[in-house]
């Protein structure tokens, strides 16, 4: 999967989780930019991404995410291996 | 996708259906049924969450046909992520569920503090979901919950697969497998004894598989003990208990015959041609399904036949096939003709005197299933697996007939309904109603509420819709309060006739009013309900005779009755007028001094301790 494809799929995951078809994400997007992005929805995002990309995040990986860019990188790494 | 709710059909275009509801300007009363219909499909957690966000703003508006329930949840783990699935599962059962989620891991504090958030919320039911083996004295908690008039749903523990010694752990005190295993056993026994609804989380975890169920990263991150991926399964199991506590479990299973109870088509292949019983794997699967149905029937589920067949052909296997496990007397209603199945189900509902929403329709034919879902959306229609070996699993996991515990009446109910069919036959033959009623040889016994009958009283109070003057619902704990209220008169009424024991068929609660301006003492009729099985048999007149006699004995001067209309109780609109009550300012009044007892064909007995009054028909 290419980085662009992942970004595209992840956008659709975000739209699903936040139930908002207008959401656009960039590498710099953080929880502060999306009002409903609280701790509950954060876990929902993680699980939705796990299901969509058929991967499983490690405990430490979930903690370390600072922005969407890192999220995409992480998925890229995990879908390759 | 939720693979564990496979009795629910998949939706072809969920986003489109949801969009249509979202963009429609229909008032809430119309949007709620549309959402409830969507809730009957197998949805993933994202779809559930979208449905829930449309549902939430509609929850506070009363809607006809929907029950409102307030559920308090106290847990030793995070539960926020489960609430959407819980509300949607309740909606599937026509329940508007309001949830209160107590602060994390504060079960004892919330229950035992009288003005805690939980009790401010005034819940009808409280779900206790502890985490770990350190749960303390649960009986004390249950007692406290019940004393607030709420029912308890107690969740047990999912036992993690971690091992200390290894295989022997289950028998070694101090290991989690042993501690939690014993805790679960005690919880289950105590719950059965105390009449507490048990939620078997351990069974759910086992069904899903422990390796998937225990998601450790999520536990360490968010203290989520029940995974979001299985929220729908968990929610459905909680919702079926909530429904059962409200008396809203399904009652009747309407079964197709060909390729459902046996392999092949009886009309084409004949008695020798159908596949049933030992000799072939398929035949054994059909037979095992029948054995399972027989168990359901024995515990009170009503079985009925809905088949497109010549009736003679359809009956043949029941009468003559040696491998049949179900016989004609097991089927409370047998409908077999060439009309469509919606007509057949209506006929079943009418004969058995139950609502269509009490019926589950089980048919191997997907066209018939789709037709019923469309024509009669209130009927539950499980997705029947292609392989008959999966029929039992499908019915069992769908949990339509959730029973909190066995009341003696449950076991008898099926034979009541069968006897009802015989009565119908007699009624058709007998032209003179008076003679028919006399021929029934009815005997009524009346007693005040007592602890033994409490569960059945609560059941009747919560599920009687049609013959119910006020439709006031009371939990078992509240029934107990009535029982112990000194200025209340309570009546539980049973009816026997020559076809059998109808069990408890009517409940009346009276409460004393303060003296009026003329100093006259009256009783308010808080509740008067009756099972529709005994409609048209003068039961209500004889009940009034008994009530009046007891009220007079206690020197009351009048009865005050009220009729609170609902969607379903139009039947009793003129109840008080028919019984001779006079229209007062805001209610119906019966002057006891002037009361002339009704002449009925029912012999009645009133018992209270050692007191006994008999009235001969």
């Amino acid at each position: 999967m290419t980085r662009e494809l992942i970004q595209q799929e992840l956008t659709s995951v975000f739209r699903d989780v936040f139930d908002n078809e207008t959401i656009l994400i960039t590498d710099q997007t953080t929880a502060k930019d999306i009002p409903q992005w609280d701790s509950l929805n954060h876990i929902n995002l993680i699980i939705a991404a796990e299901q969509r990309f058929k991967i499983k995040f490690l405990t430490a990986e979930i903690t370390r995410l600072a922005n969407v860019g890192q999220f995409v990188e992480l998925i890229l790494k995990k879908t390759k291996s | 996708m939720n693979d564990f709710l496979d009795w629910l059909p998949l939706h072809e275009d969920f986003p489109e259906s949801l969009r249509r509801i979202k963009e429609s300007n229909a008032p809430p009363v119309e949007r709620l049924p549309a959402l409830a219909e969507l809730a009957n499909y197998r949805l993933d957690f994202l779809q559930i969450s979208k449905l829930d966000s449309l549902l939430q703003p509609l929850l506070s508006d009363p809607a006809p046909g929907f029950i409102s329930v307030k559920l308090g949840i106290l847990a030793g783990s995070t539960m926020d992520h489960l609430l959407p699935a819980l509300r949607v599962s309740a909606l599937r059962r026509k329940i508007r569920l309001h949830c209160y989620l107590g602060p994390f891991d504060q079960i004892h504090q919330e229950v035992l503090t009288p003005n805690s958030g939980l009790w401010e919320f005034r819940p009808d039911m409280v779900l206790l979901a502890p985490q770990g083996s350190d749960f303390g004295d649960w009986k004390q908690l249950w007692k406290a919950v019940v004393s607030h008039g709420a029912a308890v749903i107690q969740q047990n523990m999912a036992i993690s697969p971690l091992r200390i010694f290894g295989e022997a752990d289950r028998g070694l005190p101090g290991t989690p497998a042993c501690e939690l295993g014993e805790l679960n056993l005690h919880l289950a026994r105590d719950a059965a004894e105390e009449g507490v609804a048990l939620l078997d989380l351990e069974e759910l975890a086992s069904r899903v598989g422990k390796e998937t169920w225990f998601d450790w990263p999520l536990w360490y991150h968010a203290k989520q003990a029940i995974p979001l991926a299985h929220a729908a399964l968990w929610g459905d199991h909680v919702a079926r208990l909530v429904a059962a506590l409200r008396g809203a479990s399904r009652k009747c299973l309407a079964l197709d015959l060909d390729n459902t109870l046996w392999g092949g088509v009886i009309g084409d292949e004949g008695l020798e041609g159908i596949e049933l019983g030992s000799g072939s794997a398929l035949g054994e699967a059909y037979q095992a399904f029948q054995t399972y149905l027989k168990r359901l029937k024995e515990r009170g589920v009503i079985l009925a036949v809905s088949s497109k067949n010549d009736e003679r052909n359809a009956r043949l296997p029941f009468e003559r096939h040696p491998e049949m496990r179900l016989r004609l007397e097991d089927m409370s209603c047998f409908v077999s003709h060439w009309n469509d199945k919606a007509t057949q189900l209506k006929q079943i509902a009418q004969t058995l005197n139950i609502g269509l929403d009490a019926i589950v329709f089980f048919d191997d034919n997907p066209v018939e299933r789709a037709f019923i879902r469309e024509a009669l959306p209130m009927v539950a229609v499980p997705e029947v697996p292609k392989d008959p070996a999966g029929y039992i699993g499908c019915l069992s996991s769908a949990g339509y007939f959730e029973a909190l515990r066995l009341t003696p009446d449950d076991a008898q109910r099926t034979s009541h309904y069968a006897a009802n069919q015989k009565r119908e036959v007699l009624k058709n033959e007998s032209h003179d109603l008076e003679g028919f009623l006399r021929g029934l040889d009815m005997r009524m016994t009346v007693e005040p509420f007592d602890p033994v009958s409490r569960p059945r009283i609560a059941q009747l109070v919560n599920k009687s819709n049609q013959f119910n003057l006020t439709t006031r619902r009371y939990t078992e704990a509240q029934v107990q309060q009535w029982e112990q209220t000194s200025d209340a008169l309570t009546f539980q009424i049973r009816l026997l006739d020559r076809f059998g024991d109808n069990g408890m068929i009517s409940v009346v609660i009276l409460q004393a009013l303060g003296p009026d301006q003329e100093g006259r003492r009256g009783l308010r009729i808080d509740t008067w309900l009756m099972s529709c099985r005994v409609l048209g048999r003068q039961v209500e007149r004889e009940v009034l005779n008994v009530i009046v006699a007891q009220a007079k004995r206690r020197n009351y001067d009048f009865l005050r009755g009220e009729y609170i209309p609902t969607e379903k109780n139009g039947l009793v609109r003129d109840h008080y007028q028919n019984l001779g009550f006079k229209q007062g300012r805001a209610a119906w009044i019966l002057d006891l001094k002037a009361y002339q007892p009704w002449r009925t064909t029912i012999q009645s007995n009133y018992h209270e301790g050692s007191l006994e009054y008999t009235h001969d028909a």
Side-chain angles (χ1 to χ4, degrees):
Chain A
M1 236 179 179
T2 64
R3 202 177 191 288
E4 288 70 41
L5 222 66
I6 287 172
Q7 174 115 12
Q8 220 175 336
E9 275 291 303
L10 195 59
T11 304
S12 129
V13 169
F14 269 70
R15 289 176 176 181
D16 250 354
V17 168
F18 295 111
D19 196 12
N20 178 348
E21 288 304 315
T22 62
I23 285 184
L24 286 172
I25 51 172
T26 67
D27 282 357
Q28 284 72 45
T29 306
T30 69
K32 289 197 194 80
D33 303 312
I34 300 176
Q36 311 99 299
W37 192 342
D38 54 15
S39 59
L40 179 62
N41 271 327
H42 183 69
I43 299 293
N44 291 358
L45 261 183
I46 296 291
I47 295 169
E50 283 184 341
Q51 290 188 351
R52 184 74 62 98
F53 297 101
K54 300 195 168 44
I55 51 176
K56 189 88 190 132
F57 295 111
L58 305 178
T59 309
E61 289 169 343
I62 303 173
T63 318
R64 271 192 227 115
L65 298 172
N67 57 32
V68 167
Q70 290 187 13
F71 205 175
V72 175
E73 287 298 330
L74 180 62
I75 295 168
L76 189 61
K77 192 179 89 191
K78 294 191 82 85
T79 46
K80 266 186 193 147
S81 57
Chain B
M1 186 42 69
N2 234 302
D3 299 327
F4 293 96
L5 291 156
D6 50 11
W7 62 90
L8 297 176
L10 290 167
H11 199 287
E12 278 165 16
D13 195 355
F14 177 82
E16 172 59 19
S17 297
L18 197 70
R19 194 187 55 77
R20 241 181 292 150
I21 299 173
K22 205 174 189 170
E23 288 169 6
S24 83
N25 293 321
V29 277
E30 285 168 34
R31 299 175 68 164
L32 204 58
L35 288 178
E37 210 165 304
L38 266 190
N40 268 306
Y41 288 89
R42 200 188 325 166
L43 308 175
D44 65 28
F45 81 88
L46 289 168
Q47 293 170 320
I48 285 173
S49 141
K50 287 175 187 172
L51 205 164
D52 181 58
S53 61
L54 290 191
L55 169 63
Q56 281 196 60
L58 305 180
L59 279 177
S60 40
D61 300 306
F66 286 79
I67 319 171
S68 168
V69 173
K70 294 171 87 174
L71 175 70
I73 303 170
L74 303 177
S77 66
T78 303
M79 304 290 258
D80 308 70
H81 61 302
L82 303 174
L83 298 186
L86 188 50
R87 282 186 288 257
V88 169
S89 306
L91 183 67
R92 189 174 297 140
R93 292 166 177 78
K94 298 284 187 80
I95 294 170
R96 295 185 287 128
L97 191 71
H98 303 262
C99 297
Y100 164 82
L101 185 55
F104 179 78
D105 208 9
Q106 300 276 307
I107 300 181
H108 288 76
Q109 296 87 327
E110 283 275 303
V111 171
L112 300 175
T113 311
N115 58 353
S116 64
L118 175 70
W119 300 125
E120 300 277 323
F121 173 69
R122 306 179 67 86
D124 303 304
M125 304 168 192
V126 177
L127 167 64
L128 301 176
Q131 187 69 23
S133 58
D134 183 25
F135 185 37
D137 182 357
W138 53 80
K139 282 193 177 177
Q140 183 203 1
L141 286 182
W142 296 351
K143 210 172 279 169
V145 171
V146 170
S147 75
H148 283 268
V152 181
I153 300 176
Q154 176 66 55
Q155 179 176 289
N156 70 7
M157 316 287 164
I159 305 174
S160 93
L162 82 88
R163 295 282 149 161
I164 307 294
F165 295 92
E167 297 300 318
D169 271 20
R170 212 179 272 269
L172 300 177
T175 65
C178 180
E179 300 275 293
L180 292 176
E182 289 197 357
L183 180 65
N184 280 352
L185 193 64
H186 287 121
L187 273 179
R189 286 190 177 148
D190 288 348
E193 222 165 80
E194 308 267 328
V196 158
L198 187 77
L199 176 60
D200 195 351
L201 190 70
E202 164 62 7
E203 202 279 321
L204 294 187
S206 307
R207 181 130 38 112
V208 167
K210 299 278 174 89
E211 289 298 340
T212 326
W213 184 270
F214 289 93
D215 190 325
W216 296 111
L218 279 185
W219 172 252
Y220 296 124
H221 265 290
K223 294 291 170 289
Q224 294 182 356
I226 297 168
L228 183 58
H230 300 296
L233 177 66
W234 178 86
D236 195 80
H237 278 254
V238 178
R240 59 182 73 162
L241 288 175
V242 169
L245 282 166
R246 273 286 184 255
S249 292
R250 305 255 168 187
K251 301 183 185 74
C252 170
L253 179 61
L255 293 151
D256 172 53
L257 297 179
D258 292 330
N259 291 315
T260 297
L261 289 191
W262 53 73
V265 177
I266 183 70
D268 296 339
E269 288 150 78
L271 211 49
E272 299 74 28
I274 60 172
E275 203 158 3
L276 179 66
S278 39
S280 80
L282 214 50
E284 287 192 19
Y286 284 113
Q287 193 177 47
F289 183 49
Q290 289 197 14
T291 306
Y292 178 73
L293 295 174
K294 182 113 178 167
R295 298 272 330 244
L296 288 185
K297 181 249 164 186
E298 281 161 359
R299 72 100 153 148
V301 176
I302 306 163
L303 301 184
V305 168
S306 163
S307 164
K308 285 183 180 170
N309 256 316
D310 279 338
E311 182 158 350
R312 209 153 38 112
N313 284 337
R315 284 176 177 263
L316 206 55
F318 289 89
E319 292 164 344
R320 304 253 307 274
H321 200 294
E323 299 286 331
M324 283 289 286
R325 288 293 173 264
L326 292 172
R327 293 293 168 190
L328 279 179
E329 62 264 26
D330 295 318
M331 315 313 282
S332 294
C333 186
F334 202 106
V335 175
S336 180
H337 50 59
W338 296 99
N339 274 339
D340 67 83
K341 294 226 166 183
T343 308
Q344 295 191 347
L345 293 183
K346 283 185 202 155
Q347 198 179 335
I348 290 171
Q350 203 173 5
T351 311
L352 298 174
N353 230 330
I354 56 178
L356 282 161
D357 57 4
I359 294 182
V360 175
F361 174 66
F362 197 94
D363 194 320
D364 68 294
N365 183 341
V367 178
E368 299 288 9
R369 295 199 299 265
F371 174 67
I372 294 299
R373 281 192 195 113
E374 175 77 35
L376 304 171
M378 66 295 265
V379 172
V381 185
E383 270 308 88
V384 173
K386 284 205 176 66
D387 184 346
Y391 287 0
I392 298 177
C394 167
L395 259 189
S396 167
S397 24
Y400 293 118
F401 307 105
E402 188 70 35
L404 294 171
R405 59 173 147 158
L406 207 60
T407 67
D409 280 1
D410 274 329
Q412 274 192 21
R413 186 156 316 116
T414 27
S415 52
H416 296 164
Y417 282 100
N420 231 11
Q421 268 208 317
K422 285 192 207 147
R423 284 187 203 99
E424 282 289 322
V425 171
L426 185 64
K427 197 150 118 193
N428 291 340
E429 288 166 355
S430 160
H431 300 294
D432 158 24
L433 184 67
E434 179 80 12
F436 161 73
L437 291 176
R438 209 161 272 289
L440 280 178
D441 189 18
M442 290 182 280
R443 282 146 290 155
M444 177 192 284
T445 60
V446 185
E447 288 172 85
F449 290 3
D450 59 27
V452 181
S453 305
R454 222 176 270 154
R456 173 61 179 155
I457 293 169
Q459 210 181 38
L460 269 178
V461 163
N462 285 303
K463 72 179 184 190
S464 302
N465 292 316
Q466 301 180 75
F467 197 110
N468 194 337
L469 274 302
T470 55
T471 321
R472 296 196 172 101
R473 309 297 198 196
Y474 296 120
T475 61
E476 216 173 298
Q478 290 167 316
V479 169
Q480 182 178 1
Q481 284 172 7
W482 277 116
E483 195 179 306
Q484 292 158 351
T485 304
S486 58
D487 67 346
L489 289 180
T490 58
F491 302 87
Q492 45 162 318
I493 297 119
R494 291 163 193 275
L495 188 74
L496 272 94
D497 61 37
R498 57 180 266 228
F499 292 112
D501 187 353
N502 292 278
M504 192 188 299
I505 44 87
S506 182
V507 169
V508 179
I509 301 172
L510 308 179
Q511 188 170 33
L513 296 158
D516 67 8
Q517 284 133 336
E518 287 97 16
R520 299 180 339 136
R521 297 172 66 234
L523 285 162
R524 176 179 73 84
I525 304 174
D526 177 87
T527 295
W528 187 336
L529 57 88
M530 190 176 87
S531 159
C532 286
R533 284 202 312 260
V534 297
L535 214 58
R537 292 164 61 171
Q538 307 179 337
V539 172
E540 57 275 40
R541 292 181 176 178
E542 190 55 34
V543 168
L544 184 62
N545 287 346
V546 174
I547 297 176
V548 169
Q550 292 311 312
K552 278 173 124 168
R553 206 168 66 79
R554 290 167 177 77
N555 299 316
Y556 286 101
D557 301 300
F558 65 92
L559 293 182
R560 198 181 82 188
E562 57 175 329
Y563 165 65
I564 305 175
T566 69
E567 277 293 297
K568 293 186 175 159
N569 73 353
L571 179 69
V572 289
R573 191 180 299 116
D574 300 320
H575 173 73
Y576 287 120
Q577 189 171 9
N578 293 342
L579 286 174
F581 283 62
K582 297 277 173 286
Q583 175 98 63
R585 271 191 307 275
W588 293 92
I589 305 293
L590 184 75
D591 180 359
L592 299 186
K593 293 241 161 55
Y595 182 76
Q596 291 292 322
W598 286 96
R599 213 172 54 82
T600 71
T601 56
I602 305 170
Q603 185 203 60
S604 66
N605 268 288
Y606 179 82
H607 305 268
E608 183 184 334
S610 55
L611 284 172
E612 181 164 342
Y613 295 85
T614 303
H615 158 251
D616 287 319

